[in-house]
Amino acid sequence: MNDNNYVVQKIKINIGGHIMTIKKVVSILVTIAGSVNVWGYQKWDIPYGKRNNGFKCFMERKWVTNKDTAQYRFLFSPKVSVDKASGIYKSNYKIVAVSPKYGKIGDVIFVELDNKRIEIFQIGDYKKTDQTDEFGAHPINDKQSCLIEFIVEKNNLPKDIQHSGNLNRLFPGRVTRIHNFNMTNNHHI
């Protein structure tokens, strides 16, 4: 962990007598702003469909091979490294593949889960639209689908995750909403 991330995580804010971390304050602001969308940014509500999108699948970075793409340039840039504890690649935030409708490569997205957690990720690759539903989730089986696909170094993943193919233990919950502050009306600002 670099020193800058450590400092940000340790800063606490006193609001009305309640001590909160920066992440908690940002999460509250995203929830409030997302409910009323006062800033005009893009958000997508993800209803519970015929499959539960709580399955958090993964793909290995090595499968991104076209050097002429934004995905390759981003994922193989010096600012991207693997988190040794989880096996997930990260830049400023953990890196995921999502539907192209949720933003551009490098965009930061806020993902709300049904357990009221908000996770912050960075887009590093796109899912194939011909293999996904209207929300960008691809089916795992009749009951589950994967909306958020983590970019990983498989050998660094915990063994149970390597076997199951599911990172839900690390990021539990079904995706209920995705926010991208770089977009409005389905276009980049």
Side-chain angles (χ1 to χ4, degrees), residues 26-76:
V26 168
S27 295
I28 291 168
L29 290 175
V30 166
T31 301
I32 292 168
S35 298
V36 295
N37 204 3
V38 294
W39 294 307
Y41 67 86
Q42 188 72 43
K43 69 173 180 159
W44 297 267
D45 291 321
I46 315 293
Y48 191 92
K50 60 183 177 181
R51 291 183 181 95
N52 178 343
N53 71 32
F55 194 97
K56 309 298 183 317
C57 55
F58 62 83
M59 66 169 275
E60 292 187 80
R61 179 179 77 160
K62 70 181 181 181
W63 299 119
V64 177
T65 58
N66 186 343
K67 294 180 180 182
D68 296 328
T69 64
Q71 293 93 309
Y72 187 93
R73 287 189 298 276
F74 176 74
L75 289 171
F76 289 91

Coordinates of all heavy atoms in Angstrom, one line a residue, residues 26-76:
V26 N -18.1 9.7 1.4 CA -18.3 9.6 0.0 C -19.5 8.6 -0.3 O -20.3 8.9 -1.1 CB -17.0 9.1 -0.8 CG1 -17.3 8.7 -2.2 CG2 -16.0 10.2 -0.7
S27 N -19.6 7.5 0.4 CA -20.7 6.6 0.2 C -22.0 7.2 0.5 O -23.0 7.1 -0.2 CB -20.5 5.4 1.1 OG -19.3 4.6 0.7
I28 N -22.1 8.0 1.6 CA -23.3 8.7 2.0 C -23.7 9.7 0.9 O -24.8 9.8 0.4 CB -23.2 9.4 3.3 CG1 -23.1 8.3 4.4 CG2 -24.3 10.3 3.6 CD1 -22.7 8.8 5.8
L29 N -22.7 10.5 0.4 CA -22.9 11.5 -0.6 C -23.4 10.8 -1.9 O -24.3 11.3 -2.6 CB -21.7 12.3 -0.9 CG -21.3 13.3 0.3 CD1 -20.0 14.0 0.0 CD2 -22.4 14.3 0.5
V30 N -22.8 9.7 -2.3 CA -23.2 9.0 -3.5 C -24.6 8.5 -3.4 O -25.4 8.7 -4.3 CB -22.3 7.8 -3.8 CG1 -22.9 6.9 -4.9 CG2 -20.9 8.4 -4.3
T31 N -25.0 8.0 -2.2 CA -26.3 7.5 -2.0 C -27.4 8.6 -2.1 O -28.4 8.5 -2.7 CB -26.5 6.8 -0.6 OG1 -25.5 5.7 -0.6 CG2 -27.8 6.3 -0.4
I32 N -27.0 9.7 -1.4 CA -28.0 10.9 -1.4 C -28.1 11.5 -2.8 O -29.2 11.6 -3.3 CB -27.5 12.0 -0.4 CG1 -27.6 11.5 1.0 CG2 -28.3 13.3 -0.6 CD1 -26.9 12.4 2.0
A33 N -26.9 11.7 -3.4 CA -26.9 12.3 -4.8 C -27.6 11.3 -5.8 O -28.3 11.7 -6.7 CB -25.5 12.6 -5.2
G34 N -27.4 10.0 -5.6 CA -28.0 9.0 -6.5 C -29.5 8.9 -6.4 O -30.2 8.7 -7.3
S35 N -30.0 9.2 -5.2 CA -31.4 9.1 -5.0 C -32.1 10.3 -5.6 O -33.2 10.1 -6.2 CB -31.7 9.2 -3.5 OG -31.2 8.1 -2.8
V36 N -31.5 11.4 -5.7 CA -32.1 12.6 -6.3 C -31.4 13.1 -7.5 O -31.9 13.9 -8.3 CB -32.2 13.8 -5.3 CG1 -33.2 13.4 -4.1 CG2 -30.9 14.2 -4.7
N37 N -30.2 12.6 -7.8 CA -29.4 12.9 -8.9 C -29.3 14.4 -9.1 O -29.5 14.9 -10.2 CB -29.9 12.2 -10.2 CG -28.9 12.0 -11.2 OD1 -27.7 12.3 -11.0 ND2 -29.3 11.5 -12.4
V38 N -28.9 15.1 -8.1 CA -28.8 16.6 -8.1 C -27.7 17.1 -9.0 O -27.8 18.2 -9.5 CB -28.6 17.1 -6.7 CG1 -29.8 16.9 -5.8 CG2 -27.4 16.6 -6.0
W39 N -26.7 16.3 -9.3 CA -25.6 16.8 -10.1 C -25.7 16.4 -11.5 O -24.9 16.8 -12.3 CB -24.2 16.2 -9.5 CG -24.0 16.8 -8.1 CD1 -24.0 18.1 -7.8 CD2 -23.6 16.1 -7.0 NE1 -23.7 18.3 -6.5 CE2 -23.5 17.0 -5.9 CE3 -23.5 14.8 -6.7 CZ2 -23.2 16.7 -4.6 CZ3 -23.2 14.4 -5.4 CH2 -23.0 15.4 -4.4
G40 N -26.7 15.7 -11.9 CA -26.9 15.3 -13.3 C -26.0 14.3 -13.9 O -26.0 14.1 -15.1
Y41 N -25.3 13.5 -13.1 CA -24.4 12.5 -13.6 C -25.3 11.2 -13.9 O -26.4 11.2 -13.6 CB -23.3 12.1 -12.6 CG -23.9 11.5 -11.3 CD1 -24.1 10.1 -11.3 CD2 -24.2 12.2 -10.2 CE1 -24.6 9.5 -10.2 CE2 -24.7 11.6 -9.1 CZ -24.9 10.3 -9.1 OH -25.5 9.7 -8.0
Q42 N -24.6 10.3 -14.6 CA -25.3 9.1 -15.0 C -25.4 8.0 -13.9 O -24.4 7.8 -13.2 CB -24.5 8.5 -16.2 CG -25.2 7.3 -16.9 CD -26.4 7.8 -17.7 OE1 -26.4 8.8 -18.4 NE2 -27.5 7.1 -17.5
K43 N -26.5 7.5 -13.8 CA -26.7 6.3 -12.9 C -27.7 5.3 -13.5 O -28.5 5.7 -14.4 CB -27.3 6.7 -11.5 CG -28.7 7.2 -11.5 CD -29.2 7.5 -10.2 CE -30.6 8.0 -10.3 NZ -31.4 7.8 -9.1
W44 N -27.5 4.1 -13.2 CA -28.3 3.0 -13.8 C -28.8 2.2 -12.6 O -28.1 1.7 -11.8 CB -27.5 2.1 -14.7 CG -26.9 2.8 -15.9 CD1 -27.5 2.8 -17.1 CD2 -25.7 3.4 -16.0 NE1 -26.7 3.5 -18.0 CE2 -25.6 3.9 -17.3 CE3 -24.6 3.7 -15.1 CZ2 -24.4 4.6 -17.8 CZ3 -23.5 4.4 -15.5 CH2 -23.4 4.8 -16.8
D45 N -30.2 2.1 -12.5 CA -30.8 1.2 -11.5 C -30.8 -0.2 -12.2 O -31.1 -0.4 -13.3 CB -32.2 1.6 -11.2 CG -32.2 2.9 -10.4 OD1 -31.4 3.1 -9.6 OD2 -33.1 3.7 -10.7
I46 N -30.4 -1.2 -11.4 CA -30.3 -2.6 -11.8 C -31.4 -3.4 -11.1 O -31.2 -3.8 -9.9 CB -28.9 -3.2 -11.6 CG1 -27.8 -2.2 -12.0 CG2 -28.8 -4.6 -12.3 CD1 -27.6 -2.0 -13.4
P47 N -32.5 -3.6 -11.7 CA -33.6 -4.4 -11.0 C -33.2 -5.9 -10.8 O -32.3 -6.4 -11.6 CB -34.8 -4.2 -11.9 CG -34.2 -4.0 -13.3 CD -32.9 -3.3 -13.1
Y48 N -33.9 -6.5 -9.9 CA -33.6 -8.0 -9.8 C -34.3 -8.6 -10.9 O -35.5 -8.5 -11.1 CB -34.2 -8.4 -8.4 CG -33.8 -9.8 -8.1 CD1 -32.7 -10.1 -7.3 CD2 -34.5 -10.9 -8.6 CE1 -32.3 -11.4 -7.0 CE2 -34.1 -12.2 -8.3 CZ -33.0 -12.4 -7.5 OH -32.6 -13.7 -7.2
G49 N -33.6 -9.3 -11.8 CA -34.1 -9.9 -13.0 C -34.4 -11.4 -12.7 O -34.5 -11.8 -11.6
K50 N -34.3 -12.1 -13.8 CA -34.6 -13.6 -13.7 C -33.3 -14.3 -13.1 O -33.5 -15.4 -12.6 CB -35.0 -14.2 -15.0 CG -33.9 -14.1 -16.1 CD -34.5 -14.7 -17.4 CE -33.5 -14.5 -18.5 NZ -34.0 -15.0 -19.8
R51 N -32.2 -13.6 -13.0 CA -31.0 -14.2 -12.4 C -30.4 -13.2 -11.4 O -30.5 -12.0 -11.5 CB -29.9 -14.4 -13.4 CG -30.2 -15.5 -14.4 CD -29.0 -15.8 -15.4 NE -29.3 -16.8 -16.3 CZ -29.8 -16.6 -17.5 NH1 -30.0 -15.3 -17.9 NH2 -30.1 -17.6 -18.3
N52 N -29.9 -13.7 -10.3 CA -29.2 -12.9 -9.3 C -27.8 -12.5 -9.8 O -27.0 -13.4 -10.0 CB -29.1 -13.8 -8.0 CG -28.4 -13.0 -6.9 OD1 -27.7 -12.0 -7.1 ND2 -28.6 -13.5 -5.7
N53 N -27.6 -11.2 -9.9 CA -26.3 -10.8 -10.4 C -25.2 -10.7 -9.4 O -24.2 -10.1 -9.6 CB -26.4 -9.4 -11.2 CG -26.7 -8.3 -10.2 OD1 -26.2 -8.2 -9.1 ND2 -27.4 -7.3 -10.7
G54 N -25.4 -11.3 -8.2 CA -24.4 -11.3 -7.1 C -23.2 -12.1 -7.4 O -22.2 -12.0 -6.6
F55 N -23.1 -12.9 -8.4 CA -21.9 -13.7 -8.7 C -20.9 -12.7 -9.2 O -21.1 -12.0 -10.2 CB -22.3 -14.7 -9.8 CG -21.2 -15.8 -9.9 CD1 -21.4 -17.0 -9.3 CD2 -20.1 -15.6 -10.7 CE1 -20.4 -18.0 -9.5 CE2 -19.1 -16.6 -10.9 CZ -19.3 -17.8 -10.3
K56 N -19.7 -12.7 -8.6 CA -18.6 -11.8 -9.0 C -17.5 -12.7 -9.7 O -16.7 -13.3 -9.0 CB -18.0 -11.1 -7.8 CG -19.0 -10.4 -6.9 CD -19.8 -9.3 -7.6 CE -20.7 -8.5 -6.6 NZ -21.5 -9.3 -5.7
C57 N -17.6 -12.7 -11.0 CA -16.7 -13.6 -11.7 C -15.3 -12.9 -11.9 O -15.2 -11.7 -11.5 CB -17.3 -14.0 -13.1 SG -17.8 -12.5 -14.1
F58 N -14.4 -13.5 -12.6 CA -13.1 -12.9 -12.8 C -12.5 -13.4 -14.2 O -13.0 -14.4 -14.7 CB -12.1 -13.2 -11.7 CG -11.8 -14.7 -11.5 CD1 -10.8 -15.3 -12.3 CD2 -12.4 -15.4 -10.5 CE1 -10.5 -16.6 -12.1 CE2 -12.1 -16.7 -10.3 CZ -11.1 -17.4 -11.1
M59 N -11.6 -12.6 -14.7 CA -10.9 -13.0 -15.9 C -9.4 -12.6 -15.6 O -9.1 -11.7 -14.9 CB -11.4 -12.3 -17.1 CG -11.2 -10.8 -17.1 SD -11.5 -10.0 -18.7 CE -9.9 -10.2 -19.5
E60 N -8.5 -13.3 -16.3 CA -7.1 -13.0 -16.1 C -6.7 -11.9 -17.0 O -7.1 -11.9 -18.2 CB -6.3 -14.3 -16.3 CG -6.5 -15.3 -15.3 CD -5.5 -16.5 -15.4 OE1 -4.4 -16.3 -15.0 OE2 -5.9 -17.5 -16.0
R61 N -5.8 -11.0 -16.6 CA -5.3 -9.9 -17.4 C -4.6 -10.4 -18.6 O -4.7 -9.7 -19.7 CB -4.4 -9.0 -16.5 CG -3.8 -7.8 -17.3 CD -2.9 -7.0 -16.5 NE -1.6 -7.6 -16.3 CZ -0.6 -6.9 -15.9 NH1 -0.6 -5.6 -15.7 NH2 0.6 -7.5 -15.8
K62 N -4.0 -11.5 -18.5 CA -3.2 -12.0 -19.7 C -4.1 -12.3 -20.9 O -3.5 -12.4 -22.0 CB -2.4 -13.3 -19.3 CG -3.3 -14.5 -19.1 CD -2.4 -15.7 -18.7 CE -3.3 -17.0 -18.5 NZ -2.4 -18.1 -18.1
W63 N -5.4 -12.4 -20.8 CA -6.3 -12.6 -21.9 C -6.5 -11.4 -22.7 O -7.1 -11.4 -23.8 CB -7.5 -13.3 -21.5 CG -7.3 -14.6 -20.8 CD1 -7.6 -15.0 -19.6 CD2 -6.6 -15.8 -21.4 NE1 -7.2 -16.3 -19.3 CE2 -6.5 -16.8 -20.4 CE3 -6.0 -16.0 -22.7 CZ2 -5.9 -18.0 -20.7 CZ3 -5.4 -17.2 -22.9 CH2 -5.4 -18.2 -21.9
V64 N -6.1 -10.2 -22.2 CA -6.2 -9.0 -23.0 C -4.9 -8.8 -23.8 O -3.9 -8.6 -23.2 CB -6.4 -7.7 -22.0 CG1 -6.5 -6.5 -22.8 CG2 -7.7 -7.9 -21.2
T65 N -5.0 -9.1 -25.1 CA -3.8 -9.2 -25.9 C -3.6 -8.2 -27.0 O -2.5 -8.1 -27.5 CB -3.7 -10.6 -26.5 OG1 -4.9 -10.9 -27.3 CG2 -3.6 -11.7 -25.4
N66 N -4.7 -7.5 -27.4 CA -4.6 -6.6 -28.5 C -4.0 -5.3 -28.0 O -4.6 -4.5 -27.3 CB -6.0 -6.3 -29.1 CG -6.0 -5.5 -30.3 OD1 -5.0 -4.8 -30.6 ND2 -7.1 -5.5 -31.1
K67 N -2.7 -5.1 -28.4 CA -2.0 -3.9 -27.9 C -2.5 -2.6 -28.5 O -2.1 -1.5 -28.0 CB -0.5 -4.1 -28.3 CG 0.2 -5.2 -27.6 CD 1.6 -5.4 -28.0 CE 2.2 -6.5 -27.2 NZ 3.6 -6.7 -27.5
D68 N -3.4 -2.6 -29.4 CA -3.9 -1.4 -30.0 C -5.2 -0.9 -29.3 O -5.8 0.1 -29.7 CB -4.3 -1.6 -31.5 CG -3.0 -1.9 -32.3 OD1 -2.0 -1.4 -32.0 OD2 -3.2 -2.7 -33.3
T69 N -5.6 -1.5 -28.2 CA -6.8 -1.1 -27.5 C -6.5 -0.3 -26.2 O -5.4 -0.4 -25.7 CB -7.6 -2.4 -27.1 OG1 -6.8 -3.1 -26.2 CG2 -8.0 -3.2 -28.3
A70 N -7.5 0.5 -25.9 CA -7.4 1.2 -24.6 C -7.3 0.3 -23.4 O -6.6 0.6 -22.4 CB -8.6 2.2 -24.5
Q71 N -8.0 -0.9 -23.5 CA -7.9 -1.8 -22.4 C -6.5 -2.3 -22.2 O -6.0 -2.3 -21.1 CB -8.8 -3.1 -22.8 CG -10.2 -2.9 -22.8 CD -10.7 -2.5 -24.2 OE1 -10.2 -1.7 -24.9 NE2 -11.8 -3.2 -24.6
Y72 N -5.8 -2.7 -23.3 CA -4.4 -3.2 -23.1 C -3.5 -2.1 -22.6 O -2.7 -2.3 -21.6 CB -3.9 -3.7 -24.5 CG -2.5 -4.3 -24.4 CD1 -2.4 -5.7 -24.2 CD2 -1.4 -3.5 -24.4 CE1 -1.2 -6.3 -24.0 CE2 -0.1 -4.1 -24.3 CZ 0.0 -5.5 -24.1 OH 1.2 -6.1 -23.9
R73 N -3.6 -0.9 -23.2 CA -2.7 0.2 -22.7 C -3.0 0.5 -21.2 O -2.0 0.8 -20.5 CB -3.0 1.5 -23.6 CG -2.4 1.3 -25.0 CD -2.4 2.6 -25.7 NE -3.8 3.1 -26.0 CZ -4.6 2.7 -27.0 NH1 -4.1 1.8 -27.8 NH2 -5.8 3.3 -27.1
F74 N -4.2 0.5 -20.8 CA -4.5 0.7 -19.4 C -4.0 -0.4 -18.5 O -3.3 -0.2 -17.5 CB -6.0 1.0 -19.2 CG -6.4 1.1 -17.7 CD1 -6.2 2.3 -17.1 CD2 -7.1 0.1 -17.0 CE1 -6.5 2.5 -15.7 CE2 -7.4 0.3 -15.7 CZ -7.1 1.5 -15.1
L75 N -4.4 -1.6 -18.8 CA -4.1 -2.8 -17.9 C -2.6 -3.1 -17.8 O -2.2 -3.6 -16.8 CB -4.9 -4.0 -18.4 CG -6.4 -4.0 -18.2 CD1 -7.1 -5.2 -18.9 CD2 -6.7 -4.0 -16.7
F76 N -1.9 -2.7 -18.9 CA -0.4 -3.0 -18.8 C 0.4 -1.8 -18.6 O 1.6 -1.8 -18.8 CB 0.0 -3.8 -20.1 CG -0.6 -5.2 -20.1 CD1 -1.8 -5.5 -20.7 CD2 0.2 -6.2 -19.6 CE1 -2.3 -6.8 -20.7 CE2 -0.3 -7.5 -19.6 CZ -1.6 -7.8 -20.1

